[in-house]
Amino acid sequence: MKKLITISVLLIVLFPFVSFSQTFTKITTGAIVNDGGWCYGCCWADFNNDGYQDLFVVNNQSTNKNNLLYMNNGNGTFTKVTSGIVVNDGGSSYGCTCADYDNDGYIDIFVANYGENNFLYHNNGNGTFTKITTGAIVSDGGNSTGCAWGDYDNDGYVDLFVCNRNQPNFLYHNNRNGTFTKITTGAIVTNNSNSGGCAWSDCDNDGYLDLFVANAGPAADFLYHNNGNGTFTQITSDPVVTDVLNSSGGSWGDYNNDGYMDLFVTGGVIGTGFDRLFRNNGNGTFTKITTDPVVTYNHWAGGSSWGDFNNDGYLDLFVGGYDGINLLFSNNGNGSFTRIDTGIIVTDGNYKEGAGWCDYDNDGSLDLFVARNNYFGGNNCLYHNEGNGNKWINIKCVGMASNKAGIGAKVLLKVTINGTAVTQKREISSQSGGNISGQNSLNAFFGLGNAAIIDSLKIVWSSGIIDRYSQIQPNEFLTAIEGQGISNVGPVKNDSPLGYKLFQNYPNPFNPVTKIKFSITESGKWKTENGLVTVKVYDVLGKEIATIVNEKLRPGTYEVPFSINQYSGNQLPSGIYFYKLTAGDFTSVKKMILIK
């Protein structure tokens, strides 16, 4: 049995929210928290598309430099992967970032190495990875540390930025054929200032990803505005870039729910320093926050990460202490923060590096993993969030015209919490952990407080396509497919598939919602079709009404709802409709009846 260490964290939340206790449990069993290593970065990602988030961790231990991969078993535990190049490649690894760079539906891994070539691993879709060995992206060498994927030219394929210590940084443009071209001109690749961490964000909402780069210095950080034509302009006069300090990384997050991404920067490399918070003014400039508790503690910080851990509708913040204590800040909902001084997360020792929030057990509460440099003692840390009853929504974005992982997509929703309208924003990012590297789950997770319904949901894709939905039930796992609709495809636990099968919908007849259940296996043409599954609804004339599933799924049994409100605005007449499952060479059609 795992050892439970539960300590209540009193969250002081100002009007109109109520106070409650929040409990985290430190996980103490399993390789995921007992492997040790000199770990600087981590990435949460669903590498095998089974609906559960897996974890990749970079390791730079002198005696064993192999990196670490843990596959989620779907029951709250993880299995350590011990075979394959991705965990047996050595490397002086400092940073990592994950995305689907070739749009095949599976998440790939890039690793930044210090003093040697970097690594790029292609996900084969069958639980294994292939190491890419050609191209500048893996042969440049350099003193690489941080890295981040982002589609800066909105061509539907993610590009890559890599930070270097004491040499110019790297930018690689995706050629859309599995290869990359190294960009060699512009300040973004000619500046030389001991860079460590980086993070993309469309901070001015003009539809193009901008870039923040943290410099260990002491030196000013970099902020590059995307000109929308493949080039960047370096910002030189904003408060974000006028402090000459030591910075280790930055995290973007809309902490005040005004629709613009704010920036938190961790400081104090080799010594002490103050972290910085910059509020986005909504006009391309930032205001430096100077009096809030979130910026008044003097320490050598490690990783940082935004996440609504109490599901109250406002982003909270974790800051790891490298040479000093860890910090946890609860968002008061009025633009200020309360520092949490008790609980296992803030009393669990230092040397914390990259951090990432993720609901790894799919219970509706964000959990926290923190990579740790155990040169001075101490293994990596995983903290399970025990929840508090507040509502939530978890949205996976699948790009079609945009990159497949949805990186750069802006997800905005509106709910009413305690009688007050709250609009929240998330931006899908490949680097969100605020140090050399740390990546939250690529899903957009929102806390909803006591909201009865999600009034509206808008997704602004990097392609420019905008999808809008309304009247969505909370406490669901949704998959949003660009331009095609949303569904809550999820595995049905403890139900192993015996073959391909499409079940009768329930209830039937229905109004306005019914559930469609299906099973898929590895027989037939499954592997040659690469796992693509579709479920579509038709009227009696054969006209397609809705596509409710269109994604690559692992073998299993799934259940997805069909709502006439969601897909047709309640305009469908009563009558007979048909739904069709296609998986490889298997197809099956059943009829259902709508009664209004």
Side-chain angles (χ1 to χ4, degrees), residues 43-48 52-55 98 107 439 441-442:
C43 290
W44 288 106
D46 183 4
F47 293 112
N48 57 2
Y52 291 90
Q53 298 294 311
D54 312 301
L55 181 69
C98 293
I107 299 297
Q439 182 170 314
S441 164
L442 290 172

Side-chain angles (χ1 to χ4, degrees), residues 240-486:
V240 169
V241 296
T242 55
D243 285 334
V244 178
L245 295 170
N246 295 297
S247 300
S248 55
S251 303
W252 294 98
D254 180 13
Y255 76 86
N256 57 356
N257 288 348
D258 67 350
Y260 288 89
M261 301 296 284
D262 311 297
L263 178 66
F264 181 81
V265 181
T266 48
V269 176
I270 310 178
T272 59
F274 291 97
D275 301 322
R276 281 151 285 154
L277 176 62
F278 300 96
R279 187 185 66 240
N280 195 324
N281 298 322
N283 59 2
T285 68
F286 293 81
T287 295
K288 182 178 180 180
I289 304 301
T290 58
T291 58
D292 193 272
V294 81
V295 294
T296 56
Y297 185 78
N298 193 0
H299 67 150
W300 178 357
S304 66
S305 190
W306 296 100
D308 185 2
F309 67 77
N310 52 19
N311 285 358
D312 67 351
Y314 288 87
L315 284 176
D316 310 299
L317 180 68
F318 168 80
V319 184
Y322 190 79
D323 188 10
I325 65 172
N326 307 307
L327 303 173
L328 186 64
F329 298 96
S330 174
N331 193 325
N332 297 324
N334 61 359
S336 68
F337 293 84
T338 294
R339 177 177 156 188
I340 307 304
D341 291 320
T342 60
I344 189 62
I345 286 182
V346 299
T347 60
D348 199 28
N350 52 3
Y351 305 116
K352 302 292 179 63
E353 293 285 357
W357 294 98
C358 168
D359 181 9
Y360 74 82
D361 58 348
N362 288 358
D363 67 351
S365 297
L366 286 178
D367 313 299
L368 179 67
F369 180 86
V370 186
R372 194 174 196 176
N373 182 348
N374 80 344
Y375 178 82
F376 302 100
N379 295 325
N380 297 323
C381 299
L382 177 61
Y383 306 100
H384 179 259
N385 189 335
E386 302 301 332
N388 58 27
N390 278 346
K391 298 178 183 179
W392 52 273
I393 199 77
N394 193 322
I395 305 170
K396 175 183 177 181
C397 293
V398 179
M400 301 301 288
S402 304
N403 68 88
K404 189 69 71 175
I407 289 173
K410 305 176 186 71
V411 185
L412 302 98
L413 62 76
K414 183 177 181 180
V415 293
T416 300
I417 302 175
N418 289 342
T420 300
V422 177
T423 301
Q424 302 181 58
K425 176 183 178 180
R426 302 288 185 269
E427 193 174 77
I428 308 301
S429 172
S430 70
Q431 199 59 263
S432 44
N435 194 27
I436 289 174
S437 72
Q439 182 170 314
N440 295 349
S441 164
L442 290 172
N443 292 5
F445 182 95
F446 295 85
L448 305 177
N450 65 352
I453 197 79
I454 297 172
D455 300 312
S456 65
L457 172 67
K458 181 171 75 170
I459 303 176
V460 182
W461 300 88
S462 60
S463 65
I465 292 174
I466 300 176
D467 291 328
R468 292 180 172 89
Y469 309 96
S470 62
Q471 300 299 295
I472 299 170
Q473 293 293 327
N475 294 354
E476 295 283 359
F477 289 86
L478 301 181
T479 296
I481 302 175
E482 183 178 9
Q484 298 186 20
I486 58 175

Side-chain angles (χ1 to χ4, degrees), residues 128-145:
T128 67
F129 291 80
T130 295
K131 183 179 181 180
I132 305 302
T133 58
T134 59
I137 196 170
V138 293
S139 61
D140 267 343
N143 298 321
S144 300
T145 51

